Each structure stands twice: as C-alpha cells, then as structure tokens.
C-alpha cells in the first residue's frame, strides 16, 4: 500500500486508530469472516490478524486482544460498527433508569451473548437468558439512527441489519467497561475525552466508505478500513474536537447521552 502520510501542524490526540467491522453471527468463539479489524497509523492503514495465527477473528479473541491493547501505553481511538445503546423508547417501555452504565449491565445479564456456545438466536428465541424480557420493536430508532438513516438496533432479519451485531457486541462492551483504568466510552462518559485516554465510540462506515477506493477489499474489510482511516485523518485535520462535540440542541444532547451518538455524524440543520 502506498504511503498515506500528510503534513501535520498540530499534535495528534491518539497514537493509533482502530476500525472494527463487527459481526453477530454464530457464537463468541466462532471464527467469523465478517469480523474485520484495521489499524491506522501515521503512514498507512493495515488489516490486523488474530495473534494466534487463525485466519479470522472471533468476538472472544477480539475482545481479549482489545482489552490488552487498551491496557497498554498507547492511546487508542476505536470505532466499532454496532449500536452502543438503545432508543429512549426502550428505557421507557421497560421502566429502566436512564443511566447507560446501569442499563449496559442489565442488558448483559438478560442477553448473555458473550458466554461460550451462546448465539444471539439462542437468547432471542428464549432458549437461554432472559432476552424476551428486554426486547424492542423494529420501528424504535434512536435520534442518531434517524439522522443517519440507519436501521433500528431491533430490526433483525433484513439486509444491512445491525441488530444481531449489536446484541452480540453489547455484553462484550460491558466486559471492556470493567477494565482498570477504564477507557472512555463516548459520549456516555463525556463529550470531550481527556487527553491521553483511550476512547471507544460507535462508528457508521456508510457515512464515509464511498470516499475511499475499494482496492480489492471485501465489503467488511472496506468498512473497517474506512473507519480506521477516517478517524486518523480527522485527527490529522484537527476536526476530531468537532466530531466529539457536535452542535446538538440541549434536548438532543440529553437524549444522546443515553441513546448514544455516531461519531462524526453532524448535527441536524
């Protein structure tokens, strides 16, 4: 790959930028061709392979590896392609406290999709867990979904759905939230992450993947590549601050602090 280096006139906020195109297929330990990880640094963006030499990542291997990377000395900006929270309607219907931290723990308890041998469909169909007590409707969408024209995190069984990857990924996010020191989960831990911290944020590659040539990458590879490269280039341009603090109305900002927001999605006009 040719060099992507650009002259930079300001210090970068992060050392490395990871783009993850997620998959909710099969079990946490299954090797998944749809689960892809790219890393962007100063001069290039490359695909990362599992450390054990396997051809594909599993969700369990990726989570364990990411936990180790987040505990290291480098500051990371990690963009993951699944919803980090649910619409306010979900909180209201299930009479839940509007706290992202307590909700994430509640969801992981009801949807134990991070446990070995368990699929999203096992929980969804009531064979294990208590997912039927914490389900939602396909028409429920977050404010950020509406603005990005993204599907609901409850819209299963359709092309382009993020429902399965979201329901598989959230309990593993809960695991990462237990790390010490804890990484910054944006925007739930605050809109402006402290300098030097590692940050995990929701990404939506459809916003920017068309801006890069495919060059033989599969759609999953290209989505992960586009996330990583976009994050790095935003830092190089000095626009990450605007991405972290979109100019939302007070009402919309309050909702996004529970529902989440897609990093880089501009505020509505």
């Amino acid at each position: 790959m040719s060099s992507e280096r650009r002259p930079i006139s300001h210090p970068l906020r992060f050392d490395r930028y990871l783009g993850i195109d997620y998959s909710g297929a099969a079990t946490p330990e299954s090797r998944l061709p749809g689960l892809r990880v790219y890393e962007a640094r100063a001069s290039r963006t490359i695909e990362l392979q599992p450390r054990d030499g396997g051809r594909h990542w599993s969700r369990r291997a990726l989570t364990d590896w990411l936990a180790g990377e987040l505990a290291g000395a480098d500051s990371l900006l990690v963009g993951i392609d699944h919803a980090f929270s649910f619409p306010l309607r979900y909180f209201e219907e299930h009479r839940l406290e509007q706290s992202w931290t307590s909700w994430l723990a509640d969801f992981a308890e009801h949807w134990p999709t991070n446990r070995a041998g368990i699929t999203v469909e096992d929980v969804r169909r009531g064979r294990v867990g208590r997912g039927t007590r914490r389900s939602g409707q396909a028409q429920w969408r977050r404010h950020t979904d509406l603005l990005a024209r993204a599907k609901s995190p409850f819209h299963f069984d359709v092309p382009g759905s993020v429902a399965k990857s979201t329901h598989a990924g959230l309990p593993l996010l809960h695991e990462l939230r237990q790390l010490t020191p804890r990484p910054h989960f944006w925007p739930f831990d605050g809109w402006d992450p402290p300098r030097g911290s590692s940050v995990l944020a929701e990404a939506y590659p459809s916003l920017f993947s068309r801006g890069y040539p495919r060059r033989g990458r599969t759609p999953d590879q290209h989505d992960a590549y586009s996330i990583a490269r976009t994050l790095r280039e935003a830092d190089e341009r000095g626009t990450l601050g605007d991405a972290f603090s979109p100019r939302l109305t007070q009402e919309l900002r309050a909702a996004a602090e529970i529902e989440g927001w897609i990093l880089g999605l501009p505020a509505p006009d």
Side-chain angles (χ1 to χ4, degrees), residues 20-25 59 80-87 107 111 120-121 124 138 140-142 144-145 148-171 202-206 220 223 227 262:
I20 298 174
D21 189 66
Y22 215 71
S23 173
R59 291 192 296 275
I80 305 177
D81 181 23
H82 69 66
F84 275 29
S85 189
F86 286 161
F107 182 83
W111 285 78
V120 170
E121 289 301 306
R124 188 180 171 203
W140 296 355
R141 289 199 289 171
R142 303 171 300 161
T144 195
D145 297 326
R149 299 182 179 180
K151 291 182 173 61
S152 164
F154 304 113
H155 201 170
F156 287 93
D157 307 323
V158 293
S161 170
V162 298
K164 186 167 284 188
S165 59
T166 296
H167 284 69
L170 287 170
E202 179 180 345
Y204 187 47
S206 295
D220 298 307
D223 281 351
I227 294 170
I262 295 167

Side-chain angles (χ1 to χ4, degrees), residues 31-66:
R31 303 282 184 167
L32 303 172
L35 183 57
R36 299 288 182 163
V37 184
Y38 273 74
E39 178 187 81
R41 297 204 187 198
S43 61
R44 61 178 183 165
T45 305
I46 61 171
E47 183 168 19
L48 300 182
Q49 303 295 339
R51 292 288 176 85
D52 62 5
R55 184 177 179 185
H56 299 300
W57 291 94
S58 68
R59 291 192 296 275
R60 170 50 58 199
L62 175 60
T63 302
D64 292 346
W65 171 80
L66 189 55

Side-chain angles (χ1 to χ4, degrees), residues 4-5 12 14 57 79 84 96 125 130 143 156 160 176 185 195 208 223 239:
E4 301 165 2
R5 185 181 296 278
L12 297 182
F14 297 93
W57 291 94
F84 275 29
L96 298 175
R125 304 303 178 186
R130 295 181 292 164
H143 291 78
F156 287 93
L176 294 175
F185 288 79
R195 294 273 178 169
F208 35 73
D223 281 351
T239 59

Side-chain angles (χ1 to χ4, degrees), residues 142-150 186 191 201-208 230-231 234 239-248 252-253 256 259-269:
R142 303 171 300 161
H143 291 78
T144 195
D145 297 326
L146 293 167
L147 185 59
R149 299 182 179 180
W186 181 88
W191 292 91
E202 179 180 345
Y204 187 47
S206 295
L207 294 177
F208 35 73
T230 295
L231 295 177
T239 59
L240 266 184
D242 293 336
F244 282 137
S245 298
R247 297 180 179 179
L248 307 180
L252 189 52
R253 180 173 288 258
E259 294 185 326
W261 194 260
I262 295 167
L263 184 62
L265 182 67
D269 297 331

Side-chain angles (χ1 to χ4, degrees), residues 191-237:
W191 292 91
D192 188 20
R195 294 273 178 169
S197 64
S198 287
V199 178
L200 287 86
E202 179 180 345
Y204 187 47
S206 295
L207 294 177
F208 35 73
S209 59
R210 293 180 183 177
Y212 302 108
R214 283 273 297 273
R215 301 191 188 281
R217 287 183 287 270
T218 68
D220 298 307
Q221 288 174 315
H222 190 63
D223 281 351
Y225 170 91
S226 300
I227 294 170
R229 186 166 172 182
T230 295
L231 295 177
R232 190 199 75 213
E233 291 180 352
D235 202 357
E236 291 175 345
R237 291 193 302 268

Side-chain angles (χ1 to χ4, degrees), residues 74-112:
D74 287 348
S75 59
L76 310 181
L77 177 54
V78 184
I80 305 177
D81 181 23
H82 69 66
F84 275 29
S85 189
F86 286 161
L88 289 178
R89 178 73 179 273
Y90 173 95
F91 289 81
E92 295 163 356
E93 291 289 331
H94 294 294
R95 299 180 180 180
L96 298 175
E97 178 187 359
Q98 291 193 3
S99 160
W100 185 75
T101 299
S102 63
W103 163 76
L104 190 62
D106 178 86
F107 182 83
E109 179 183 345
H110 285 79
W111 285 78

